[in-house]
Amino acid sequence: MATFKFAVLPGDGIGPEVMGAALDVLEKACEKSGDELSFSTHDVGGIAIDNFGTALPDSTLEACRRSDAILFGSVGGPKWEHLPPKEQPERAALLPLRKAFKLFANVRPGLLYPQLADASPLKNERIPDGIDIVCIRELTGGIYFGEKKTWAENGETAASDTMLYRVSEIERIADVAGRTAMGRKGKVCSIDKANVLETSVLWRKTVSQYFKTHFPQIELTHLYVDNAAMQLVRNPNQFDVFFTENMFGDILSDEMAVVCGSLGMLCSASLGDIQNSLGLKFGLYEPAGGSAPDIAGQGIANPCAQILSAAMMMRHSFGRGDTAAMIESAVRRAVCDGFRTADIAFGKKPVSTTDMARAVIERL
Ligand code: IPM
Ligand code: MN
């Protein structure tokens, strides 16, 4: 029986609604295992801009530092879109959080239950057993964090972003991919653009060497990113675990998300090497779908991605794989029993956010 300490950052849009649902499920799940939750809630994103004048207030960052994990909702919305890009909630909250906690690995399961195949834009006969793959994205390096410049040149303006990778940065993400595949089908695909980019040449060489030494039992393949984008829609299940650098991962993970149907079902974990007070990984857990301002406040958003993100937190930051599995199977059964929010209803009568959470709780 343990007490799990985490910071709750609901953010904007549907964030607070789906967060409330996820916390209800988490409370009930932990009641069953006799564990206790100890969390405090803090502003992040647009609401923090309104209340504190900055998307990531020091008080929020400090609260995260005192915690063993962060459960994150979503940030952004039309209200803050007039701000300069650097001050917008997405960029000014998420990127500094990733950097501050060295969360270099973004793990995103691409899971589509066969019963939800209608939600995928792919023809159902291409995915008779649904989809079950994992995308791992490098999250604190590459072009996102390299030197940025804007300057004047012969009477016009020019700008540049720098893509930079070090061997150590490539090895540590390769390690996450290898370990993830060990617990699955043992297949890893590394994605790069080694026919053009110098960073990709280094990436491919480093990854090949690393797997030869540390994961000889894993089947490692390499794909160029343009081909990978095509393969992902052609036959997603040819992958088991795929991993790639930051920018390619940003694009491919959105592609994977849509191939897997509703964004409302997709969770993610951002992990690093920082240990929490339990000796496990500190992590940030968030749904993939964004703040969906168009449906915010209506009580109709799909809470499953937030609930499943909370399950990932139980597994990775709190060592409660059993609780995580219990939550995951309750979500699966609720959906398969026909409880569907509007985004995945397809002719069924849609249920509300809170009804969906209740259906999950009943199945724990
Ligand atoms: C994501 C988002 C972020 C990113 C944005 C909001 C900065 O698109 O988590 O994929 O580009 O990493
Ligand atoms: Mn993205």
Side-chain angles (χ1 to χ4, degrees):
M1 312 311 98
T3 301
F4 299 131
K5 198 166 160 13
F6 57 101
V8 173
L9 275 46
D12 309 314
I14 59 167
E17 300 160 50
V18 293
M19 185 65 83
L23 291 170
D24 287 346
V25 173
L26 206 52
E27 292 272 13
K28 279 287 177 314
C30 286
E31 228 168 70
K32 294 193 186 287
S33 58
D35 294 315
E36 273 185 34
L37 303 179
S38 159
F39 61 85
S40 56
T41 304
H42 305 274
D43 285 347
V44 72
I47 179 119
I49 294 178
D50 293 352
N51 293 340
F52 293 85
T54 164
L56 183 61
D58 287 341
S59 51
T60 298
L61 193 58
E62 278 314 309
C64 294
R65 284 194 208 287
R66 288 193 303 270
S67 304
D68 287 326
I70 303 170
L71 191 58
F72 193 95
S74 52
V75 294
K79 187 173 174 196
W80 305 281
E81 270 163 17
H82 67 278
L83 293 169
K86 268 187 198 154
E87 289 169 34
Q88 286 188 14
E90 293 89 336
R91 203 163 140 187
L94 261 183
L95 299 189
L97 266 177
R98 289 172 184 168
K99 205 64 181 174
F101 294 100
K102 303 190 170 67
L103 303 169
F104 63 81
N106 182 240
V107 180
R108 215 182 252 200
L111 189 62
L112 173 69
Y113 312 141
Q115 293 84 346
L116 263 186
D118 276 348
S120 174
L122 295 190
K123 290 202 186 81
N124 287 6
E125 59 261 31
R126 293 199 173 219
I127 41 170
D129 305 317
I131 300 172
D132 182 2
I133 60 180
V134 179
C135 166
I136 296 180
R137 166 187 175 193
E138 200 291 324
L139 204 58
T140 53
I143 200 164
Y144 270 63
F145 292 97
E147 191 189 356
K148 297 176 187 300
K149 278 194 288 199
T150 304
W151 68 95
E153 179 185 272
N154 306 327
E156 62 178 343
T157 307
S160 70
D161 298 277
T162 317
M163 187 186 275
L164 181 153
Y165 273 104
R166 298 177 182 84
V167 168
S168 55
E169 292 172 310
I170 301 168
E171 285 183 343
R172 64 187 186 180
I173 192 76
D175 193 72
V176 175
R179 284 170 196 271
T180 307
M182 293 286 281
R184 296 175 47 94
K185 293 179 201 142
K187 275 173 59 180
V188 170
C189 179
S190 169
I191 295 167
D192 62 39
K193 188 70 183 172
N195 50 348
V196 177
L197 300 177
E198 210 50 34
T199 41
S200 284
V201 172
L202 182 66
W203 180 281
R204 194 172 281 219
K205 184 169 161 236
T206 306
V207 167
S208 301
Q209 194 57 54
Y210 195 83
F211 274 78
K212 210 189 237 169
T213 314
H214 298 273
F215 299 106
Q217 64 280 57
I218 294 247
E219 180 192 330
L220 174 72
T221 52
H222 304 269
L223 280 184
Y224 295 139
V225 62
D226 48 348
N227 186 12
M230 188 173 71
Q231 298 302 333
L232 202 49
V233 285
R234 213 180 54 81
N235 176 16
N237 284 315
Q238 70 184 279
F239 298 101
D240 178 23
V241 174
F242 68 89
F243 80 108
T244 188
E245 66 87 40
N246 204 344
M247 182 85 243
F248 298 160
D250 180 43
I251 299 166
L252 290 180
S253 62
D254 268 28
E255 187 188 351
M256 181 188 76
V258 73
V259 164
C260 289
S262 174
L263 280 171
M265 297 300 296
L266 292 180
C267 54
S268 84
S270 298
L271 305 167
D273 277 339
I274 295 184
Q275 281 196 358
N276 62 23
S277 75
L278 303 166
L280 296 164
K281 276 181 193 291
F282 183 93
L284 181 150
Y285 302 86
E286 61 174 323
S291 61
D294 52 324
I295 58 160
Q298 298 176 33
I300 59 169
N302 188 344
C304 291
Q306 189 78 60
I307 294 169
L308 293 169
S309 298
M312 287 187 100
M313 175 174 80
M314 293 309 295
R315 177 175 293 119
H316 295 287
S317 286
F318 299 140
R320 283 286 191 267
D322 47 353
T323 307
M326 173 170 73
I327 296 172
E328 286 159 355
S329 107
V331 169
R332 181 189 281 261
R333 277 178 291 125
V335 169
C336 295
D337 287 348
F339 288 86
R340 309 279 176 85
T341 43
D343 56 317
I344 52 172
F346 297 102
K348 291 211 162 52
K349 190 174 170 294
V351 303
S352 69
T353 306
T354 46
D355 285 346
M356 189 74 220
R358 196 170 307 126
V360 173
I361 289 170
E362 281 165 9
R363 285 162 182 77
L364 284 172

